[in-house]
Amino acid sequence: KNKKAGNSFFFTDEKQIKKNNLKTLELKYSKSADFSTKHEYFSNELEVRIHDEPKNNSRVSLGIDIGSTSTKLVVLDAGTRDVLIDIYGRTKGNPIDATKKLFGELKQITGNRNIKIISVATTGSGRKLVGKIIGADLIINEITAHFKGASFFTPFIETIFEIGGQDSKYIRGHNGNVVDCNMNFVCAAGTGSFIEEQAQRLGFDVR
């Protein structure tokens, strides 16, 4: 069978697909990253996930995302780029205190181990403020950060939709680079904070 829409035909019959040398559409899911952890817990209003605790004399890189509603810190093995630790907390309108809280928790986790931080990068709406205070090696916008992070796991990725606390983003890439993007600046209905608030009203915890 075929269906006509305007000047276009959509073939649903296998004979028509073969006759017209069309490719059958297939739904394929992207390969998901492994987000499993050794253990995770709440501490001082922070969500802490330990993937692999850094050993003594480890060399690590830090990434800090200072968003409008939440602030996140990730510790990477500088050699393998494997995630060792990630910590999530609320910004609460104070990005500096939120970042201090993350560093305080990281200190509790690492204890007296000698951990060498060789590089630090910041992103998010508070990237410039916090980046300047802590002396970050790299300060980048979240659009670039999202695309580079996604393309690390899926090199051929082209489209990303990101639901942030105060805006939503559409990102299009090609050959490993961002070529176009668009943001929703006005309507709150498409943002993460709105979705979370409505879920709470319905009795769901989406954290």
Side-chain angles (χ1 to χ4, degrees):
K1 297 179 180 180
N2 55 34
K3 298 178 181 180
K4 186 175 182 181
N7 295 322
S8 300
F9 282 91
F10 296 88
F11 296 100
T12 58
D13 186 271
E14 290 187 8
K15 293 181 179 179
Q16 292 284 7
I17 290 173
K18 293 178 180 178
K19 179 181 177 181
N20 291 276
N21 196 27
L22 300 175
K23 290 184 178 180
T24 304
L25 293 177
E26 293 182 62
L27 176 62
K28 292 184 178 180
Y29 293 99
S30 301
K31 182 181 179 182
S32 299
D34 182 8
F35 295 110
S36 60
T37 61
K38 284 191 173 180
H39 57 279
E40 52 187 274
Y41 55 89
F42 285 92
S43 174
N44 194 24
E45 297 183 327
L46 299 173
E47 296 178 32
V48 182
R49 283 169 287 272
I50 309 296
H51 303 261
D52 190 8
E53 291 192 24
K55 300 175 178 60
N56 196 35
N57 297 318
S58 293
R59 292 163 56 87
V60 302
S61 296
L62 302 186
I64 309 170
D65 179 0
I66 309 96
S68 58
T69 57
S70 62
T71 299
K72 291 78 69 181
L73 180 147
V74 63
V75 181
L76 302 177
D77 183 293
T80 64
R81 294 188 179 181
D82 290 336
V83 175
L84 303 177
I85 300 167
D86 75 87
I87 310 172
Y88 172 98
R90 295 289 182 170
T91 305
K92 296 182 177 180
N94 194 328
I96 296 175
D97 282 354
T99 305
K100 284 181 178 178
K101 203 171 180 179
L102 296 178
F103 276 114
E105 186 63 31
L106 180 60
K107 183 174 177 60
Q108 290 292 324
I109 296 170
T110 57
N112 295 323
R113 280 170 287 183
N114 180 29
I115 307 298
K116 186 173 182 180
I117 300 172
I118 66 168
S119 61
V120 181
T122 60
T123 189
S125 56
R127 64 187 180 276
K128 293 181 180 179
L129 174 63
V130 173
K132 186 174 182 179
I133 292 173
I134 67 175
D137 302 284
L138 188 63
I139 300 174
I140 58 175
N141 64 68
E142 55 267 43
I143 292 171
T144 302
H146 283 310
F147 190 79
K148 290 297 183 182
S151 59
F152 176 80
F153 292 102
T154 310
F156 52 84
I157 196 166
E158 293 185 345
T159 305
I160 297 172
F161 291 98
E162 189 267 333
I163 310 300
Q166 66 181 1
D167 58 40
S168 299
K169 305 177 186 70
Y170 157 73
I171 306 168
R172 183 169 67 89
H174 185 64
N175 291 333
N177 297 300
V178 175
V179 295
D180 188 23
C181 64
N182 203 351
M183 300 175 66
N184 171 15
F185 293 101
V186 181
C187 182
T191 64
S193 57
F194 178 82
I195 294 171
E196 184 175 321
E197 288 170 7
Q198 297 310 307
Q200 288 176 348
R201 288 184 179 183
L202 296 171
F204 296 99
D205 187 351
V206 295
R207 291 177 298 171

